[in-house]
Amino acid sequence: DAVRLDKLVTYNNIRAVVLDKDIRSESPFALNLSKSEDLICKNLMCEKLGEVCICKLARWISINGPALENLEALELENNGLTILPDSLFDLKKVKYLNLRHNLLAEFPEGITRLDNLKILDISHNKLLGKIPGFLTMMMDKEHIKNTKTGTKILQKLEMIYVHNNDELTVQKEIQSDWDYDKENGILFRKKNTR
């Protein structure tokens, strides 16, 4: 339960807020690492000394993996992240992933492994170019199967927040199965397209 997770998080030297109820995920298993001082690297040999270091986040996720297996909402807002550790995408039950207010220049391809993801908030980053091919294929209902396993990719994804990524273009071809609210920067799946 959430209390046990909170004790484990504290034990491993990451001060995180474990929420009792998160309105976005409707889950008691939510973890808020927004603007976390504990993700700042203190390793004198690391080039990220004094900055948020994904190695520290990756190690923490690996150590706590079993305790995080029921995690449904993860907030990594406002940490200055430029990339994400691959181990983050092993958290298979995550439904809500908040990556807003970071420094990501591209969509993390690993999100295709988050089978239960419903909402991705990647707003207020530095995303460049167009929505990437791996996401546009997923957004096309004819091509949402994983070619290796034959299973559907991100079939539960309902919404992607992309506002305030000034260099990002949302292609028109995506909009056959998805609606794009340009004013608010929100892509959302049209009803009956799964």
Side-chain angles (χ1 to χ4, degrees), residues 3 9 16 18 32 58 68 79 107 111 113 140-141 168 178 189:
V3 175
V9 169
V18 178
N32 186 342
L68 299 174
N79 279 304
F107 278 86
I111 63 169
R113 296 185 357 230
D140 179 353
K141 66 182 173 187
L168 180 70
W178 286 70
R189 192 186 300 265

XYZ file of all heavy atoms in Angstrom, residues 3 9 16 18 32 58 68 79 107 111 113 140-141 168 178 189:
135
model
N 1.437 3.561 2.210
C 2.239 3.821 3.401
C 3.532 3.017 3.340
O 4.605 3.523 3.598
C 1.437 3.498 4.677
C 2.304 3.637 5.905
C 0.222 4.388 4.773
N 10.601 4.468 0.218
C 11.173 5.631 -0.460
C 12.071 6.397 0.494
O 13.183 6.754 0.163
C 10.044 6.526 -1.027
C 10.588 7.855 -1.484
C 9.353 5.813 -2.167
N 10.152 11.643 -1.223
C 9.104 11.749 -2.230
C 7.767 11.858 -1.531
O 7.574 11.339 -0.447
C 9.127 10.524 -3.133
N 4.214 10.625 -1.459
C 3.329 9.576 -1.953
C 1.915 10.031 -1.642
O 1.537 10.205 -0.489
C 3.636 8.219 -1.291
C 2.682 7.159 -1.777
C 5.070 7.822 -1.581
N 5.190 11.609 -6.320
C 5.509 12.945 -6.787
C 6.987 13.233 -6.520
O 7.394 13.414 -5.382
C 4.624 13.975 -6.073
C 4.798 15.362 -6.620
O 5.776 15.662 -7.289
N 3.839 16.223 -6.331
N 17.627 6.461 -12.274
C 17.634 5.089 -12.784
C 17.994 4.096 -11.680
O 17.357 3.051 -11.534
C 18.623 4.964 -13.936
N 7.619 -0.535 -6.545
C 6.986 0.405 -7.466
C 6.110 -0.291 -8.510
O 5.556 0.369 -9.373
C 8.053 1.232 -8.188
C 8.946 2.095 -7.309
C 10.048 2.732 -8.143
C 8.138 3.154 -6.586
N 12.284 19.161 -13.158
C 13.559 18.629 -12.692
C 14.717 18.920 -13.643
O 15.829 18.471 -13.394
C 13.453 17.112 -12.467
C 12.823 16.785 -11.129
O 13.297 17.226 -10.097
N 11.745 16.032 -11.152
N 10.471 13.214 -27.823
C 9.606 12.286 -27.114
C 10.426 11.051 -26.750
O 11.129 10.508 -27.595
C 8.444 11.835 -28.003
C 7.305 12.800 -28.053
C 7.316 13.854 -28.956
C 6.212 12.648 -27.225
C 6.261 14.753 -29.019
C 5.155 13.531 -27.280
C 5.180 14.579 -28.175
N 8.277 5.269 -23.977
C 6.874 5.335 -23.545
C 6.013 4.287 -24.221
O 4.977 3.913 -23.699
C 6.243 6.739 -23.723
C 6.186 7.145 -25.181
C 6.914 7.759 -22.864
C 5.344 8.380 -25.429
N 6.472 1.310 -24.190
C 6.452 0.141 -23.310
C 5.489 0.311 -22.139
O 5.275 -0.633 -21.372
C 7.859 -0.125 -22.787
C 8.805 -0.493 -23.912
C 10.205 -0.891 -23.532
N 10.615 -0.857 -22.166
C 11.736 -0.268 -21.746
N 12.526 0.368 -22.591
N 12.068 -0.313 -20.478
N -2.209 5.969 -35.509
C -2.995 5.465 -36.629
C -3.561 4.112 -36.223
O -2.821 3.160 -36.004
C -2.093 5.335 -37.854
C -2.812 4.796 -39.074
O -3.991 4.394 -38.969
O -2.188 4.765 -40.141
N -4.880 4.007 -36.124
C -5.493 2.785 -35.592
C -5.137 1.538 -36.385
O -5.218 0.433 -35.889
C -7.004 2.951 -35.488
C -7.726 3.095 -36.802
C -9.195 3.305 -36.576
C -9.872 3.608 -37.914
N -11.251 3.984 -37.724
N 7.554 22.430 -31.793
C 6.892 21.166 -32.129
C 5.744 21.411 -33.102
O 4.935 22.318 -32.908
C 6.354 20.489 -30.861
C 5.642 19.162 -31.074
C 6.635 18.076 -31.477
C 4.906 18.748 -29.803
N -7.187 11.249 -33.984
C -6.963 12.074 -32.813
C -7.439 13.485 -33.102
O -7.341 13.961 -34.230
C -5.476 12.107 -32.469
C -4.976 10.834 -31.865
C -4.818 9.637 -32.498
C -4.589 10.624 -30.518
N -4.353 8.702 -31.626
C -4.198 9.279 -30.405
C -4.520 11.437 -29.403
C -3.753 8.729 -29.208
C -4.071 10.900 -28.207
C -3.698 9.550 -28.116
N -7.526 11.256 -28.099
C -8.049 10.220 -28.973
C -9.539 10.414 -29.198
O -10.290 10.621 -28.249
C -7.798 8.842 -28.359
C -8.049 7.698 -29.310
C -7.924 6.342 -28.626
N -6.631 6.080 -28.039
C -5.645 5.422 -28.637
N -5.794 5.003 -29.858
N -4.514 5.206 -28.003
